[in-house]
Amino acid sequence: MTDTLSNIEKKRGGKKAPRFSREPPQQRRAMMIEAATRCLSRGGIGGFTVDAICREAGISRGLINHYFDSLDGLLVEVYRASMYKDVNAHIEAAKRRRAENIGWPPEVALAELIKSNFAPRYFSGENLLLWLSLWAEIATNPHLKAAHRELYNAYRGELAEDIAAVAGARGRSVDAPTLARNFIALVDGLWLEWCLDETVLTPEAAEAAGFEIIEAQVGPLR
């Protein structure tokens, strides 16, 4: 997947069509990422092709090539949007509050971050093929692996910082980075169990379990 889209186009004899000009560039880019996400969700990594994405988005090869230099680059953006969009928004908001010294109780910040993991956008059976495809690709794709490491570390770091803030305010000694890692692993495991068999637990029970692993060390958050 490291070949550029333009090279793929040349090899297949594809011709570039005129680029659309009605939508703002950022909106066009988002549209392509959404179309690529749908292709991956329906067909796995085998369905993540230039032709399929162009058909799904109703665009030309030339347009998709203008915004993404390779399928790897587009796949990374799908990963960011699918798994970390809301989390990154939370991280940026938390950093802004700290920089501006906004008096937001650390318990509220931590509780909101915990809840975000169980929002229907993420904790959804419809995401099973999408997430499994991305996780499998991370193991062998260096570009996606690097993006995963960056995003995961940023997420785990923010979660650990929120955990430490609550623990510190309450005079508790907690290994925040380890607790953050364990929480993330718990969420992934609960989501997978629920996707495979919905009788095992409910999303509400999964959220409760997420709170419990944190609360066991920092105290009540709800």
Side-chain angles (χ1 to χ4, degrees), residues 193-214:
E193 288 290 346
W194 179 68
C195 285
L196 296 177
D197 186 354
E198 293 184 359
T199 67
V200 173
L201 78 164
T202 64
E204 293 76 18
E207 181 178 301
F211 270 98
E212 287 165 6
I213 191 175
I214 303 291

Side-chain angles (χ1 to χ4, degrees), residues 2-19 32 49-51 54 59-71:
T2 56
D3 205 355
T4 63
L5 298 183
S6 57
N7 287 340
I8 293 173
E9 214 170 285
K10 291 175 182 177
K11 291 175 182 177
R12 296 183 180 178
K15 296 181 179 180
K16 294 184 178 181
R19 293 189 176 96
M32 286 181 268
T49 67
V50 179
D51 288 339
C54 288
I59 60 174
S60 68
R61 284 174 166 267
L63 185 61
I64 196 170
N65 182 60
H66 176 70
Y67 286 92
F68 305 97
D69 61 358
S70 68
L71 279 176

Side-chain angles (χ1 to χ4, degrees), residues 29-40:
R29 193 171 188 275
M31 175 189 68
M32 286 181 268
I33 293 172
E34 290 171 1
T37 300
R38 291 193 296 271
C39 289
L40 187 62

Side-chain angles (χ1 to χ4, degrees), residues 105-118:
E107 292 84 359
V108 175
L110 180 54
E112 287 299 314
L113 185 52
I114 292 172
K115 289 178 183 177
S116 70
N117 288 270
F118 302 96

Side-chain angles (χ1 to χ4, degrees), residues 61-180:
R61 284 174 166 267
L63 185 61
I64 196 170
N65 182 60
H66 176 70
Y67 286 92
F68 305 97
D69 61 358
S70 68
L71 279 176
D72 279 347
L74 179 52
L75 187 63
V76 166
E77 293 307 313
V78 168
Y79 182 58
R80 290 180 188 276
S82 300
M83 294 189 171
Y84 285 94
K85 183 178 180 180
D86 292 348
V87 169
N88 283 338
H90 177 96
I91 291 173
E92 290 305 314
K95 289 180 177 178
R96 185 174 63 253
R97 284 192 297 269
R98 281 195 290 270
E100 298 172 356
N101 197 27
I102 297 175
W104 210 44
E107 292 84 359
V108 175
L110 180 54
E112 287 299 314
L113 185 52
I114 292 172
K115 289 178 183 177
S116 70
N117 288 270
F118 302 96
R121 170 181 168 84
Y122 295 105
F123 208 86
S124 166
E126 296 177 357
N127 289 333
L128 180 61
L129 186 56
L130 172 66
W131 287 25
L132 292 182
S133 297
L134 287 167
W135 282 340
E137 189 69 14
I138 287 170
T140 58
N141 186 317
H143 294 86
L144 195 58
K145 181 176 289 188
H148 167 72
R149 183 175 291 115
E150 173 194 346
L151 294 167
Y152 176 85
N153 286 340
Y155 171 40
R156 181 186 173 198
E158 178 58 37
L159 180 57
E161 191 161 352
D162 287 349
I163 290 171
V166 174
R170 295 177 174 183
R172 293 178 178 241
S173 178
V174 173
D175 182 349
T178 297
L179 181 55

